[in-house]
Amino acid sequence: MPPRDAGYAYAAYVAAALIYAGYALSIWWRWRRVARRSTRGPGAP
Amino acid sequence: MGATSNVGVAGHGAGGAGGGAGAPARDESAPPGRDRAPTSAPRPFGALFWTAVAAVGVTYVRALAFTPVEALQGPAQKIFYLHAPAAFTALYLAFALMAISSVLYLWLRDPKLDRVAACSAEVGLAFTTVVLITGPLWAKPVWGTWWSGDARLTATLFLWLIILGYLVMRQAVEDRELRARYSAVLAILAGLLVPFIHLTVYLFRTLHPQPIVLKPSAPSMPAEMAVTFALAFVAFALLFVALLRARYRLALAAEAREEADGSGGPN
């Protein structure tokens, strides 16, 4: 009798989406931080 | 994974895809209040990224709604369409590229190769995280346990830890050339784990199934499942390329910023 619970599959699909989206957001956030520092000029924190 | 990782290079003034790494050229045309690009490097995400997101979305819909449920494992088998493409992408694209770029770096000393290796390692870590999360979610309903501790699972976890250590080490070493050289050696050693992980299911007794796609004979799955798997593989490979390109652009922008500050330390 195969396991009928689809909850594990849904959990896996949500978890994967969160990981990929979180990583993409981290790239965007870091790029934005570099861009902001650059607009303030050399030596800015 | 989401932490700022150093992908600095072993030399100054190296150009690369998407823009050079010289002093920042302000984009004075940008409206006030909006971020302006720090260099001539473009924004990290473009049409390729959104194409990859659309492809992954189509894969999700097809896998969950239009692919038959497997007779023995039930709905949990649908995790296959996430787990296997993430593993293929991490092992055979990301970490292979990381290891090859590192070998070439030690030979040619081109900073671009070090940058590609570091970016590929970071993106590969994200994909391996997906493998290590979705694997136990598949194992629990099918094997009855979250984690079996066999050779393939353990070796994959070791590889994840080594790549994490690689990225942490890049933050710790400030000298660019030393950092690139140490990183290349560690990346090559980590890359040696990839063929070992592939062969673990043949070499050791394991709960993990034998390959059903990457094997000498034809893939052993029905056509509908094979099409979904092929779509998933293409979608996640595309996502890898898009994330790698975005991470590379971030590295270029961060290096340009470093050089404008006159610092060579971790970004």
Side-chain angles (χ1 to χ4, degrees), chain B residues 66-244:
Chain B
F66 298 103
T67 303
V69 175
E70 205 261 351
L72 293 176
Q73 299 185 26
Q77 185 272 341
K78 288 180 185 277
I79 297 173
F80 168 74
Y81 306 113
L82 287 179
H83 181 78
F88 284 9
T89 306
L91 294 177
Y92 308 123
L93 294 181
F95 297 143
L97 180 62
M98 174 195 72
I100 291 167
S101 300
S102 299
V103 169
L104 291 174
Y105 172 79
L106 291 179
W107 181 26
L108 302 171
R109 301 290 166 146
D110 184 343
K112 269 188 280 190
L113 294 165
D114 174 59
R115 196 185 300 130
V116 168
C119 294
S120 194
E122 194 184 285
V123 180
L125 189 73
F127 279 82
T128 313
T129 304
V130 169
V131 173
L132 290 172
I133 299 276
T134 56
L137 283 168
W138 189 3
K140 180 62 178 167
V142 174
W143 296 348
T145 180
W146 297 101
W147 188 266
S148 77
D150 73 1
R152 172 161 283 195
L153 279 63
T154 307
T156 306
L157 179 62
F158 278 7
L159 181 60
W160 188 88
L161 290 168
I162 291 170
I163 300 299
L164 188 65
Y166 168 92
L167 294 171
V168 171
M169 187 197 70
R170 292 186 69 89
Q171 291 284 341
V173 181
E174 290 198 3
D175 183 274
R176 290 182 170 192
E177 191 170 341
L178 266 185
R179 179 171 69 213
R181 200 148 28 101
Y182 291 167
S183 302
V185 172
L186 186 55
I188 292 165
L189 293 174
L192 293 177
L193 261 180
V194 171
F196 176 76
I197 289 171
H198 181 77
L199 293 173
T200 46
V201 289
Y202 299 110
L203 299 174
F204 301 96
R205 291 174 65 183
T206 174
L207 279 175
H208 199 280
Q210 299 272 319
I212 59 171
V213 178
L214 280 184
K215 59 177 189 170
S217 55
S220 45
M221 68 174 85
E224 285 168 302
M225 292 182 177
V227 168
T228 305
F229 175 76
L231 175 67
F233 181 76
V234 170
F236 286 106
L238 202 59
L239 184 66
F240 166 73
V241 173
L243 288 173
L244 181 65

Side-chain angles (χ1 to χ4, degrees), chain A residues 2-4 6 8-9 12-13 16-17 19-20 23-24 26 28 30-39 41-44, chain B residues 3-5 26 35-36 38 43-45 60 63 71-73 75 78 82 122-123 127 130 137 140-141 236 250 257 261:
Chain A
R4 289 286 112 199
Y8 292 101
Y13 277 75
I19 291 166
Y20 290 129
Y23 180 62
S26 86
W28 169 250
R30 285 178 282 172
W31 188 90
R32 196 163 154 252
R33 197 177 57 172
V34 171
R36 279 189 172 165
R37 283 169 56 196
S38 295
T39 56
Chain B
T4 303
S5 292
R26 306 261 191 95
D35 296 327
R36 290 175 287 190
R43 285 171 180 271
F45 298 112
Y60 265 52
L72 293 176
Q73 299 185 26
K78 288 180 185 277
L82 287 179
E122 194 184 285
V123 180
F127 279 82
V130 169
L137 283 168
K140 180 62 178 167
F236 286 106
L250 168 63
R257 173 65 194 175
D261 282 349

